[in-house]
Amino acid sequence: MELNSIKPAEGARHAKRRVGRGIGSGLGKTAGRGHKGQKSRAGGYHKVGFEGGQMPLQRRLPKRGFKSQSLKFNAEVTLTTLERLGLAEVDMLALKQAGAVNAIAKVVKVIKSGTLTRPVKLIGIGATAGAKAAIEAAGGQVA
């Protein structure tokens, strides 16, 4: 094979449709644009969502809702999860390795859901007021 003998695959290339080139082409006179109207004219078209002057749907509907993009970096851990882990010291890395929180989590907080019987020391992890009381009651501490 030589560079001067390379050709595209059969059927890969086809002739461009030439409009407005006379009756014999099948696309003469109006060139496939129909008769009159905005869509038949050069440069004449409307913006996306335009409804002919009627108030567009995106303006008729009320604005509502917001979803924070930073929420995906926050995670919650329950007291039951801490109980199940069975570790004396719990930090972010331990929770990620155990699969208790997502790998992309940056902020972890313990919430008071369930019970805790064994003492647990939290390192670099926040806790709600109720969860902190429950951890300290079980003999643990929140650092």
Side-chain angles (χ1 to χ4, degrees):
M1 184 193 294
E2 299 293 326
L3 279 176
N4 63 348
S5 67
I6 296 174
K7 288 198 168 93
E10 194 66 40
R13 290 176 60 90
H14 50 88
K16 196 169 186 289
R17 179 177 290 167
R18 299 184 71 222
V19 297
R21 293 295 182 272
I23 277 177
S25 71
L27 285 167
K29 196 186 169 207
T30 55
R33 286 172 170 261
H35 291 279
K36 296 186 183 174
Q38 190 178 23
K39 296 199 311 192
S40 72
R41 314 209 189 281
Y45 214 64
H46 56 78
K47 63 184 177 192
V48 174
F50 186 69
E51 296 183 19
Q54 172 177 292
M55 188 61 69
L57 184 67
Q58 71 271 22
R59 289 190 59 201
R60 287 197 304 261
L61 298 175
K63 295 195 286 187
R64 91 179 264 267
F66 168 77
K67 187 167 168 78
S68 172
Q69 288 302 301
S70 62
L71 280 178
K72 61 185 170 191
F73 298 112
N74 297 347
E76 289 179 349
V77 177
T78 62
L79 293 174
T80 311
T81 310
L82 290 181
E83 180 79 29
R84 228 180 276 135
L85 283 175
L87 299 171
E89 290 189 353
V90 177
D91 61 343
M92 189 89 75
L93 187 65
L95 289 173
K96 286 181 180 180
Q97 285 174 342
V101 296
N102 204 333
I104 63 167
K106 292 180 181 172
V107 179
V108 178
K109 198 169 202 179
V110 179
I111 58 171
K112 187 185 178 208
S113 175
T115 55
L116 187 66
T117 54
R118 68 182 79 207
V120 174
K121 182 180 180 184
L122 297 183
I123 303 163
I125 295 171
T128 62
K132 186 175 180 183
I135 290 166
E136 287 170 351
Q141 67 182 68
V142 180

